[in-house]
Amino acid sequence: MKTPLSWIKEYVDVPAEVTTDELTHRLTLTGLKLEGIESPGAQITGPLVIGRVLTKEPEPQKNGKTINWCTVDVGDANGTGEPQGIVCGAHNFEPGDLVVTVLPGGVLPGGFAISARKTYGHVSAGMICSSRELGLGEDHDGIIVLPADAGEPGEDVRAVLGLDEEIIEFEINPDRAYALSLRGVAREVAVSVDGATGFRDPALRDTPAANDEGHPVVVEDAEGCPVFVARVVSGFDPAAPTPDHIVQRLTAAGMRSVSLAVDITNYVMLETGRPIHGYDADKVQGALVVRRAREGERLTTLDGTDRALSTEDLVIADDSGLIGLGGVMGGETTEMSESTTRILVESAHWDAVSMFRTGKRHKISSEAGKRNERGVDPTICAAAADRVVELLVELGGGVAEPGVTEVGTAPAQPVIRVAGDKAAKVSGLEISEERAVEALRSVGCTVTGTGTLEVVPPPWRPDLTDPQDTTEEVIRLVGYDTIPSVLPKAPGGRGLTRAQQLRRRIGRTVAGEGYVEVICFPFVGEADLDALGLPADDRRRRLLGLSNPLSAEAPSMTTTLLPGLLKAAARNVGHGTTSVALFEAATVTQPHDGGPAPILPVDRRPTAEEMAALDAALPAQPLHLGLVATGDAEAAGWWGAGRPVAWSDAVHAAQTVADALGLTLTVQAADVAPWHPGRCAALLLDGEVVGHAGELHPRVCTAYGLPARSVAAELDLDALIAAAVHLRPAPAFSSYPLAKEDVALVVDAGVAAADVEAALRDGAGDLLESIRLFDVYTGDQVEAGHKSLAYALRFRAPDRTLSEGEASAARDAAVARAAELTGAVQR
């Protein structure tokens, strides 16, 4: 909303010492956000003065155009006092008229520099200006002729034209439609700016009473159109020009001048906020009827568009058919034109919801629709119509016909009951009940009672509907800037929860292994799961669809972190990063048959049973950890050869996470997509599978654009955190020597090394400090179908030095247990 400062000051007295910056700062604090301050003359520099035309000599040209060679008195502005010779192509002026003259050295909007130049056989030293050339309007066929009392030749003309006017542009929130008018902005100034007084409501006027002589109006849908006022002006001069000050104000407000009749309706809309529509009364046939459109009806609107109407659209009809889309745009058949001498003025209040839906349905955006769809004061229809009639008579020479039609009454305002101290409790400020009442009354509310206040909002504030609205109104007028910034005090003895602490521990552990954390979108499509090679019956293919997905290619919540991680890794590889290691800790979504989620009440706290039903309907969302790596696990350099990542790196990373939580994962061979069937490990905790790790299947690498032999892992962190050792005791260290024993065991090729290790650990007893697999051998020295596993066993006692016999006995017991459980034979 653009508002000239001088126009605001017509309706409210602002102290002279209050600057524009101070005024806009205060309005911003109370809700009218400043977008900018501009001046129409900001782009005009140099001498722009009043000139008096002394002579005007028409000179026909060979091209059929006639120019005027003029001499113009510009006083001493040209430094000589001599008349200025200027060529002008306009003809709407005569000798003796005062005109706007820009002299050489001046610059007009758009960077148009003025200089003395030879044209049409004369040296033209300046320009006589039109509104368009000064950026004041669209009229460029005629120059500006100033009033006879505008001033003396040579005087600066900026003040006369309003070029030094300050125009304030506000951002108006959708619920503050009253501020889309000078009436609303001036009222905000009166209640927000210190020292502003004397608010004068432009909609407060005596209006003639309704009678039976007015144009007949029938309202069939009173809910859609509660109030309809009609007035008629006859004898209007369609050729009457719009006064310059109205054109200037319309232009400053961002609207163009069309004709006097249209300009007046727009001017009154900006004044009062009430949209007005004018019909050519001689084209209207019979009574105006307000109703909903019927099936199949069409209307050609003022913009020339033939529109198919919905049965929800409010329309205006006469005996000839539809003539307007109520509150949005008029029809072409009754449009005012250059021959209109009798004008039917419509001032009606329309249902805001209907206006919004109609505007969206037909993709119509207009200044009138913008106000009607946000809610306009329904009580000023008669006043706005009377103001339009007044201006049509005053400026267009018309006569107001005695008939006045007024159908319906404005809807009653709600009564809001609110505690007098509610604003103080909500804001933390010392706002007394008296101050709250004062603030509410200052914006037009009627307030009665004490303790519990009964507040009736003014009709121009449809946004005030409940106690929270009135409380916000009080606080904004007291000043949001006065609310102290107080940080809440954290309760003593509280900090991160156990789960939060463990999640951070996991993140630090994985980062310490060389992985970089990423955050991926949690959305997938069937194509992502196909790229993973998941079989049709895989539970990860059961997805939860989104009703409004960001992308049709990923319309569902993901059940695994791998698609996002693999895409992120491929993106990095595509940008030239040859070695990539990424991880993500995030939730996945696992739908179940919990039924639809219940709609909980909002007028009370839900019961425990209702919350339980809601929880039961929600899908499971466990926390997972995903890892992916490709390229080199160890870079090559002067220190030696490098090493590419292998399936064992993914397993090791998962085991490191478990170790950080005080847990031990058991590893078993597995065949699960998207991993390579011969290089995939299932990770078990207490016999339950909590994840998988290994080398990705070659087809998966190809599908996602990753190098061959890339590795990945995915773990159920919720399961790990639930079993984790939160506070791990410090390890006990023995100062006694270590006893080293190595064993090589031959087992069937299908026996897992982890099973052999578990058997050795079980048989070795408490003296075993560590066990490590350091070699796997298959070859001529081992029977076909078998493999040799070499383990390094380390024994130590906490209280003594082990004898050779004790270490050997522990080793033999470990081998015997492995033989018993896995069929191992010592080499």
Side-chain angles (χ1 to χ4, degrees):
M1 175 68 183
K2 293 184 175 182
T3 55
L5 184 59
S6 63
W7 203 357
I8 296 174
K9 291 182 177 180
E10 281 191 11
Y11 307 123
V12 62
D13 298 324
V14 180
E17 62 272 15
V18 176
T19 66
T20 304
D21 287 340
E22 291 171 344
L23 183 146
T24 54
H25 174 69
R26 186 58 199 169
L27 288 176
T28 297
L29 290 177
T30 54
L32 295 190
K33 180 183 176 183
L34 174 67
E35 282 288 292
I37 302 174
E38 60 185 45
S39 174
Q43 298 184 53
I44 301 175
T45 60
L48 185 70
V49 300
I50 297 174
R52 187 186 303 277
V53 179
L54 300 178
T55 64
K56 173 187 175 186
E57 300 176 11
E59 295 183 357
Q61 304 298 309
K62 293 181 180 179
N63 59 6
K65 181 179 180 180
T66 298
I67 62 95
N68 295 300
W69 170 242
C70 307
T71 56
V72 182
D73 178 11
V74 294
D76 295 330
N78 59 4
T80 65
E82 297 296 324
Q84 201 85 352
I86 299 175
V87 172
C88 183
H91 305 283
N92 64 319
F93 64 99
E94 298 297 335
D97 286 344
L98 295 181
V99 294
V100 179
T101 309
V102 57
L103 300 178
V107 179
L108 298 182
F112 183 51
I114 304 299
S115 61
R117 61 190 182 92
K118 189 172 182 179
T119 179
Y120 296 107
H122 301 279
V123 176
S124 181
M127 177 186 289
I128 302 175
C129 301
S130 69
S131 296
R132 186 174 184 179
E133 289 159 347
L134 296 177
L136 296 177
E138 295 299 317
D139 183 10
H140 60 90
D141 294 327
I143 54 90
I144 299 173
V145 178
L146 300 172
D149 59 352
E152 295 299 322
E155 293 180 355
D156 194 291
V157 77
R158 287 173 172 80
V160 177
L161 297 177
L163 290 173
D164 55 357
E165 172 78 273
E166 289 184 300
I167 299 171
I168 307 170
E169 183 175 3
F170 295 106
E171 177 185 321
I172 307 300
N173 291 336
D175 61 342
R176 306 283 291 279
Y178 69 92
L180 290 171
S181 68
L182 272 298
R183 180 194 190 209
V185 173
R187 180 180 278 108
E188 284 295 293
V189 171
V191 301
S192 302
V193 178
D194 293 339
T197 58
F199 172 67
R200 297 171 288 280
D201 190 345
L204 186 61
R205 57 192 295 120
D206 294 329
T207 57
N211 54 49
D212 296 332
E213 302 177 40
H215 192 94
V217 174
V218 177
V219 177
E220 295 182 359
D221 192 326
E223 183 177 346
C225 180
V227 182
F228 197 107
V229 174
R231 299 281 300 277
V232 177
V233 174
S234 57
F236 176 76
D237 179 7
T242 303
D244 289 340
H245 76 280
I246 291 182
V247 173
Q248 291 169 13
R249 285 184 169 178
L250 290 175
T251 303
M255 305 181 74
R256 66 184 182 89
S257 175
V258 179
S259 65
L260 177 60
V262 174
D263 291 348
I264 285 173
T265 59
N266 288 335
Y267 187 79
V268 173
M269 178 182 69
L270 291 173
E271 268 190 339
T272 64
R274 164 56 61 191
I276 308 290
H277 184 66
Y279 303 87
D280 187 326
D282 293 330
K283 297 178 182 178
V284 176
Q285 302 176 28
L288 297 180
V289 180
V290 180
R291 59 175 174 82
R292 300 282 175 173
R294 296 174 184 140
E295 191 71 37
E297 286 189 314
R298 306 184 71 89
L299 172 68
T300 301
T301 47
L302 290 175
D303 58 359
T305 303
D306 179 30
R307 303 182 185 277
L309 303 184
S310 164
T311 54
E312 294 184 6
D313 291 331
L314 282 164
V315 296
I316 301 171
D318 65 1
D319 292 347
S320 67
L322 301 186
I323 62 172
L325 199 53
V328 178
M329 187 174 286
E332 201 174 51
T333 59
T334 57
E335 179 182 8
M336 293 186 293
S337 66
E338 297 177 353
S339 61
T340 299
T341 59
R342 192 163 174 266
I343 299 173
L344 173 58
V345 177
E346 167 211 308
S347 178
H349 183 68
W350 305 93
D351 173 60
V353 175
S354 293
M355 295 301 96
F356 176 80
R357 290 176 177 171
T358 295
K360 291 297 182 185
R361 187 179 300 117
H362 296 287
K363 297 180 174 61
I364 299 176
S365 178
S366 66
E367 291 294 327
K370 184 191 300 183
R371 288 161 175 81
N372 282 325
E373 71 186 23
R374 299 184 183 194
V376 187
D377 186 349
T379 65
I380 64 169
C381 294
D386 190 64
R387 172 64 168 154
V388 170
V389 169
E390 177 187 61
L391 292 176
L392 289 174
V393 171
E394 176 186 339
L395 304 177
V399 176
E401 295 188 5
V404 177
T405 303
E406 186 168 350
V407 178
T409 57
Q413 293 298 107
V415 178
I416 303 171
R417 292 175 175 81
V418 58
D421 61 351
K422 185 175 178 63
K425 289 182 177 179
V426 169
S427 67
L429 298 174
E430 294 183 2
I431 303 176
S432 65
E433 182 176 305
E434 292 73 18
R435 179 69 181 91
V437 171
E438 177 189 353
L440 291 172
R441 286 176 176 167
S442 71
V443 297
C445 296
T446 301
V447 186
T448 58
T450 57
T452 298
L453 306 179
E454 293 191 350
V455 181
V456 180
W460 58 85
R461 294 297 301 273
D463 57 307
L464 302 181
T465 60
D466 57 44
Q468 285 69 34
D469 295 330
T470 59
T471 300
E472 180 184 358
E473 196 69 10
V474 172
I475 297 172
R476 83 174 181 91
L477 293 177
V478 171
Y480 291 126
D481 57 317
T482 64
I483 299 176
S485 178
V486 180
L487 292 176
K489 294 181 180 179
R494 295 186 182 182
L496 297 178
T497 65
R498 172 182 180 274
Q500 290 171 331
Q501 291 178 355
L502 292 175
R503 285 186 61 177
R504 292 194 178 188
R505 184 189 299 175
I506 292 168
R508 288 192 296 267
T509 300
V510 181
E513 290 295 305
Y515 291 78
V516 177
E517 186 173 15
V518 296
I519 299 175
C520 304
F521 279 119
F523 312 123
V524 294
E526 289 294 335
D528 295 311
L529 305 184
D530 292 341
L532 290 180
L534 302 186
D537 59 349
D538 194 298
R539 63 183 180 85
R540 288 170 290 176
R541 278 194 175 273
R542 187 178 182 187
L543 302 174
L544 178 68
L546 299 169
S547 60
N548 187 25
L550 293 178
S551 168
E553 297 177 354
S556 305
M557 298 297 293
T558 189
T559 55
T560 169
L561 300 182
L562 293 182
L565 280 169
L566 297 181
K567 290 178 182 178
R571 189 176 301 113
N572 281 273
V573 170
H575 282 78
T577 305
T578 56
S579 298
V580 178
L582 306 177
F583 82 95
E584 180 182 20
T587 57
V588 297
T589 304
Q590 298 173 347
H592 58 79
D593 297 325
I599 304 300
L600 300 185
V602 296
D603 58 341
R604 60 175 173 80
R605 180 182 177 84
T607 65
E609 291 76 13
E610 289 171 331
M611 290 300 297
L614 179 62
D615 289 338
L618 296 176
Q621 298 180 70
L623 181 68
H624 278 203
L625 173 68
L627 308 166
V628 62
T630 187
D632 291 331
E634 297 175 3
W638 58 265
W639 50 85
R643 180 179 67 82
V645 296
W647 65 270
S648 56
D649 291 306
V651 175
H652 173 74
Q655 290 177 321
T656 302
V657 169
D659 182 66
L661 299 177
L663 304 174
T664 300
L665 295 180
T666 303
V667 180
Q668 287 186 355
D671 183 2
V672 176
W675 288 276
H676 190 295
R679 304 185 183 113
C680 173
L683 306 172
L684 289 80
L685 177 67
D686 297 332
E688 296 292 330
V689 176
V690 293
H692 293 86
E695 182 181 308
L696 291 170
H697 196 286
R699 286 196 295 267
V700 175
C701 293
T702 300
Y704 279 96
L706 285 171
R709 312 206 73 168
S710 297
V711 302
E714 186 165 11
L715 292 168
D716 184 346
L717 283 190
D718 278 350
L720 295 180
I721 289 174
V725 178
H726 184 206
L727 300 176
R728 302 178 65 184
F733 293 95
S734 173
S735 60
Y736 292 93
L738 185 70
K740 300 179 180 180
E741 298 285 347
D742 293 343
V743 296
L745 304 176
V746 177
V747 296
D748 188 273
V751 175
D755 292 339
V756 177
E757 178 182 327
L760 289 171
R761 190 180 298 276
D762 183 50
D766 295 338
L767 294 179
L768 181 67
E769 183 176 274
S770 67
I771 182 172
R772 180 174 62 87
L773 174 67
F774 65 87
D775 184 54
V776 178
Y777 173 76
T778 56
D780 295 340
Q781 299 180 27
V782 177
E783 183 181 354
H786 290 71
K787 60 185 176 182
S788 173
L789 304 177
Y791 291 91
L793 307 180
R794 300 296 181 258
F795 299 95
R796 193 192 314 256
D799 55 352
R800 67 188 187 281
T801 299
L802 292 177
S803 66
E804 183 177 348
E806 288 178 306
S808 298
R811 179 202 61 201
D812 293 343
V815 171
R817 186 61 171 166
E820 177 186 350
L821 296 179
T822 66
V825 177
Q826 187 172 5
R827 289 180 65 187

